Amino acid sequence: MKTDKQDAPVNLLDVAREAGVSRATASLVLRNSPLVAAATRERVQQVMQRLGYIYNRGAANLRQNRTNTIGLVLSNISNPFFSTLTAGVEEANDASEIVCFIADSAESPERQARQIQRLREHNIDGLILCPAVGSDERVIADLDRLGLPFVQVLREIPGCARDYVTVDYAAGIDEAMAHLVTAGRRRIVFIGNFSTHSAARARLEGFNRAAARLGLPSLPVIAGGRDNRYDEAALDEILASSEPPEAAICYNDIIALAVMGHLRRRAIGVGSDFSVIGMDDLSSASASYPALTTIATMPHRVGEAAARLLQKRISRPAKRSEQLVITPRLIVRESA
Amino acid sequence: MKTDKQDAPVNLLDVAREAGVSRATASLVLRNSPLVAAATRERVQQVMQRLGYIYNRGAANLRQNRTNTIGLVLSNISNPFFSTLTAGVEEANDASEIVCFIADSAESPERQARQIQRLREHNIDGLILCPAVGSDERVIADLDRLGLPFVQVLREIPGCARDYVTVDYAAGIDEAMAHLVTAGRRRIVFIGNFSTHSAARARLEGFNRAAARLGLPSLPVIAGGRDNRYDEAALDEILASSEPPEAAICYNDIIALAVMGHLRRRAIGVGSDFSVIGMDDLSSASASYPALTTIATMPHRVGEAAARLLQKRISRPAKRSEQLVITPRLIVRESA
DNA sequence: TTCCGCTTTTGGATCGATCTAAATTGATAC
DNA sequence: GTATCAATTTAGATCGATCCAAAAGCGGAA
């Protein structure tokens, strides 16, 4: 009776002995090899059950070159957008028996480097990375040197052309702008993000191109700050100008909700006098008042796609790199 | 020149050979042992640097009985509350060089069991668990059988008296009720959650006790549904009754925001005619209109505390179990 | 020179699985 | 009775670190 608590964990050799086979055979049973005879398999499995055997994947990993673990390094895990993305990754992983380390770079390239190093020591098979603001090609060079497969999500380190899952922000903004113009709005401002990572750039460029194509007057961009703040003074200034804007497209929903509050305090009717469109479709967007019209960027789907792409990359390290672009959708509610 | 790409990763033996010492000495350098002479340490470290050596923690783990990994199994990772909690766990871990597996039980005890089993195979040192609805003492029994240290967060499997970090919901609700009564509200309803886990029970009981103590009339509880829905029809019914409520305390902010929308559609002035108080203080609470008064449950702090408690438990498996209770704080805004 | 004690270094076993190549078994054919 | 062949099983090396007990180096005292 070796079903003790923990003094001596049951290992494969114990199982083999008890079942009267060799360690090698027991190992084959573990891996569902077709080599073992049905009767033997049955017997070994019963012994495993009886002894309460627990597979030690760590030991197996030492011998194989896969661990069935991946890393997910995000720039800010407390952002609801990223948590939904994480849930998507999780879902894809759960199906393939992969577990996921999570790490938060908190937008610090140094911390990000530390996290990646640490994960690497744990022999992750691959990495899903949303690069911290300020990351440069050295990150990619490091990953290459380590031979670590990776997929970038949402943001891309410029000029590296690797596996990448993103959202077609420009298309979403096009749709939003078209919607606003149809509703008769022409003076539209963009309220931005503090940084210049690829996602921020794509949104702003998408905005500028759409404005140009639609022949809209060009207004100054309202700058954003850290932690989803924006330049309130600049917004006030432009609102007080002789030709104030009639609508805003915001970098994301968090900013859009704040902008709505700001307009309300200035007694500007959101939805009537002024339209506001956000981006992401967080759950709080539908619960706001007025309910926020927003560009749904479907983080769950992004996460799933990234996890699957990473799995492909891991199994075929030499395959051509792939860029997946999720098409967002405008969700029209009351704010525009 | 062994600085190749990946064909043959550099291991400790390579380093030792190159530095002209034994594998054992190199290992001591790795662990900063005071046994090695300063000159030797220096030399070995330089060789490690030069060869681009990467520590293989997996190999070390096989020999030691620690992996410096923990598991975090949550009931719903896309909930912003839990993502902030995760950030707290991360922060405490980062400081102690621990990495964290994340898993989402999605409120399914079966899936939860599978996740725990999987993490166990990866030899995690411990587990932070927010038990899925419907989990029973078998989960605890399993963990005990595996000798796996764990800490429960926010919810507790009844009658197990183990390490546990939670929030004093009753105290928060007391404060909220006192605030309402001071403002002259007496007919207060509770709008609940669908389930009966310990956190849901604590909130409801806290509400009932406070109502009794303050001598308030007792109104029927509005039931909640899955995914933070609630029984809208029941709310309408009670609003239409002869003595309608003047305030609501909601299970959480997500429900509170939805309730505010509902009241608005019924032309009931939130903050003026009717007070609404939520719980958690999600970032969307301050951005809502009217800004939501809420009981801040400080998930970041809960996460940090849980991670630290787990570390204590891991280093001293036999120590007395500890229950940590975070005291919430009422954040008064416009909705009440 | 020998011996002691201290600091530093080391060989070899070990953790628990997988991998490889070879051995065993049993059935069938000659 | 022996050879052939496929289906099963196995011994032993291996992954890359840590642990232990023992060895080596070395300065000073007897």
Side-chain angles (χ1 to χ4, degrees):
Chain A
M1 299 304 125
K2 266 208 154 195
T3 342
D4 304 30
K5 281 235 162 138
Q6 58 191 93
D7 20 325
V10 180
N11 63 20
L12 204 48
L13 187 55
D14 298 329
V15 170
R17 253 198 296 261
E18 183 79 9
V21 296
S22 72
R23 205 162 66 263
T25 304
S27 174
L28 291 174
V29 171
L30 220 44
R31 286 171 286 156
N32 285 314
S33 160
L35 288 178
V36 292
T40 312
R41 152 168 301 120
E42 180 78 7
R43 185 156 40 94
V44 173
Q45 277 168 342
Q46 272 169 10
V47 172
M48 286 178 174
Q49 192 78 46
R50 184 152 54 79
L51 300 189
Y53 169 71
I54 292 181
Y55 182 49
N56 186 335
R57 214 176 271 273
N61 293 340
L62 185 53
R63 199 64 235 278
Q64 305 180 126
N65 36 15
R66 283 206 50 172
T67 56
N68 287 302
T69 59
I70 66 164
L72 177 61
V73 178
L74 299 175
S75 54
N76 175 11
I77 48 180
S78 54
N79 181 330
F81 178 85
F82 282 117
S83 64
T84 306
L85 184 147
T86 304
V89 171
E90 262 305 283
E91 193 153 313
N93 280 346
D94 188 45
S96 12
E97 301 245 311
I98 287 172
V99 289
C100 180
F101 285 112
I102 194 161
D104 187 357
S105 69
E107 299 288 15
S108 150
E110 293 73 34
R111 184 161 161 172
Q112 173 176 276
R114 211 170 58 233
Q115 313 261 30
I116 292 177
Q117 164 75 11
R118 192 131 77 213
L119 294 177
R120 181 60 252 237
E121 290 182 355
H122 282 281
N123 291 308
I124 52 172
D125 295 333
L127 184 68
I128 296 177
L129 176 68
C130 176
V133 169
S135 308
D136 57 26
E137 64 284 351
R138 277 173 303 175
V139 177
I140 308 289
D142 273 359
L143 292 171
D144 281 346
R145 196 169 38 74
L146 300 171
L148 186 64
F150 66 95
V151 170
Q152 291 177 85
V153 278
L154 303 172
R155 302 176 185 173
E156 190 181 25
I157 291 182
C160 75
R162 300 309 199 74
D163 288 334
Y164 178 37
V165 178
T166 190
V167 173
D168 188 347
Y169 299 115
I173 287 180
D174 271 3
E175 198 181 343
M177 299 280 274
H179 175 76
L180 289 174
V181 168
T182 305
R185 311 288 193 192
R186 292 192 54 82
R187 301 186 57 79
I188 305 172
V189 283
F190 184 79
I191 303 183
N193 182 260
F194 74 104
S195 66
T196 53
H197 51 71
S198 64
R201 253 178 296 129
R203 295 181 202 191
L204 180 55
E205 281 168 17
F207 174 82
N208 285 333
R209 267 204 300 274
R213 198 175 38 229
L214 294 164
L216 303 179
S218 95
L219 304 186
V221 167
I222 310 291
R226 278 199 174 263
D227 291 324
N228 291 308
R229 310 212 176 278
Y230 65 95
D231 188 342
E232 302 198 3
L235 179 56
D236 276 336
E237 192 180 323
I238 199 171
L239 285 170
S241 69
S242 60
E243 291 197 295
E246 310 151 319
I249 294 209
C250 302
Y251 177 77
N252 64 22
D253 285 351
I254 301 178
I255 290 176
L257 293 173
V259 167
M260 288 206 297
H262 189 84
L263 293 169
R264 204 154 39 225
R265 282 188 292 278
R266 300 287 176 276
I268 298 175
V270 173
S272 47
D273 306 338
F274 194 105
S275 299
V276 174
I277 295 186
M279 180 169 294
D280 284 347
D281 193 30
L282 301 184
S283 69
S284 48
S286 62
S288 72
Y289 177 72
L292 182 64
T293 293
T294 186
I295 300 161
T297 51
M298 297 174 282
H300 195 279
R301 201 173 302 176
V302 173
E304 267 188 281
R308 272 202 290 269
L309 179 53
L310 181 59
Q311 285 177 38
K312 273 206 266 178
R313 168 63 57 205
I314 290 169
S315 52
R316 308 213 289 116
K319 82 181 245 304
R320 277 198 53 197
S321 66
E322 207 170 314
Q323 274 81 35
L324 271 170
V325 180
I326 306 279
T327 304
R329 207 172 65 234
L330 183 70
I331 312 279
V332 178
R333 297 202 182 93
E334 303 157 9
S335 74
Chain B
M1 302 306 121
K2 264 206 154 194
T3 342
D4 304 32
K5 281 235 163 138
Q6 57 192 94
D7 20 325
V10 180
N11 65 18
L12 203 47
L13 187 55
D14 298 328
V15 170
R17 250 197 299 258
E18 183 79 8
V21 296
S22 72
R23 207 162 65 263
T25 304
S27 174
L28 290 175
V29 171
L30 220 43
R31 286 171 286 156
N32 283 315
S33 160
L35 288 177
V36 293
T40 312
R41 151 169 302 119
E42 180 77 6
R43 186 157 37 97
V44 173
Q45 277 169 343
Q46 272 170 10
V47 172
M48 286 177 173
Q49 192 76 46
R50 184 153 53 81
L51 300 189
Y53 169 72
I54 292 182
Y55 183 48
N56 185 334
R57 215 176 271 273
N61 294 340
L62 185 54
R63 199 63 234 278
Q64 306 180 323
N65 37 16
R66 284 205 51 171
T67 56
N68 287 302
T69 59
I70 66 165
L72 177 59
V73 178
L74 299 175
S75 54
N76 175 11
I77 48 179
S78 53
N79 181 330
F81 178 86
F82 283 117
S83 64
T84 306
L85 185 147
T86 304
V89 171
E90 261 306 283
E91 193 153 313
N93 281 345
D94 188 46
S96 12
E97 299 246 310
I98 287 172
V99 289
C100 181
F101 286 112
I102 194 162
D104 187 356
S105 69
E107 299 288 14
S108 150
E110 294 72 34
R111 183 161 161 174
Q112 173 177 277
R114 210 168 61 232
Q115 313 260 29
I116 292 176
Q117 164 76 9
R118 192 130 79 212
L119 293 177
R120 181 61 251 237
E121 290 182 354
H122 282 281
N123 291 308
I124 52 172
D125 294 333
L127 183 69
I128 296 177
L129 176 68
C130 177
V133 169
S135 308
D136 58 27
E137 63 285 350
R138 278 173 302 176
V139 177
I140 307 289
D142 272 359
L143 292 171
D144 281 346
R145 195 168 37 75
L146 301 170
L148 186 63
F150 67 95
V151 170
Q152 292 177 85
V153 279
L154 303 172
R155 303 177 184 173
E156 189 182 25
I157 291 181
C160 75
R162 298 312 197 72
D163 288 335
Y164 179 38
V165 179
T166 189
V167 172
D168 188 347
Y169 300 115
I173 287 179
D174 270 4
E175 198 181 343
M177 299 281 274
H179 175 76
L180 290 174
V181 167
T182 304
R185 311 287 195 196
R186 292 191 54 81
R187 302 186 56 80
I188 305 172
V189 283
F190 185 78
I191 303 183
N193 182 259
F194 74 104
S195 66
T196 54
H197 51 71
S198 64
R201 254 178 295 128
R203 295 181 202 191
L204 181 55
E205 282 167 17
F207 174 82
N208 286 333
R209 265 204 302 276
R213 196 174 40 221
L214 294 165
L216 303 180
S218 93
L219 303 187
V221 167
I222 310 291
R226 279 199 173 263
D227 291 326
N228 291 309
R229 309 213 176 275
Y230 65 95
D231 188 342
E232 300 198 4
L235 179 57
D236 277 335
E237 191 179 323
I238 198 172
L239 285 170
S241 68
S242 60
E243 292 197 295
E246 309 151 320
I249 293 207
C250 301
Y251 177 77
N252 63 24
D253 285 351
I254 301 179
I255 290 177
L257 292 173
V259 167
M260 288 205 297
H262 188 85
L263 292 169
R264 204 156 36 226
R265 285 188 291 278
R266 301 285 176 279
I268 299 174
V270 174
S272 47
D273 306 339
F274 194 105
S275 299
V276 175
I277 295 186
M279 181 169 294
D280 284 347
D281 193 29
L282 301 184
S283 70
S284 48
S286 61
S288 71
Y289 178 72
L292 181 63
T293 293
T294 186
I295 301 162
T297 50
M298 297 174 282
H300 195 280
R301 202 174 301 176
V302 172
E304 266 188 280
R308 272 202 290 269
L309 179 52
L310 181 59
Q311 285 177 38
K312 273 207 264 178
R313 167 63 56 205
I314 290 168
S315 54
R316 308 212 288 116
K319 82 182 244 304
R320 278 198 52 198
S321 66
E322 207 170 311
Q323 276 80 36
L324 271 171
V325 181
I326 306 279
T327 305
R329 207 173 64 233
L330 184 71
I331 311 279
V332 178
R333 297 202 182 95
E334 303 159 8
S335 73

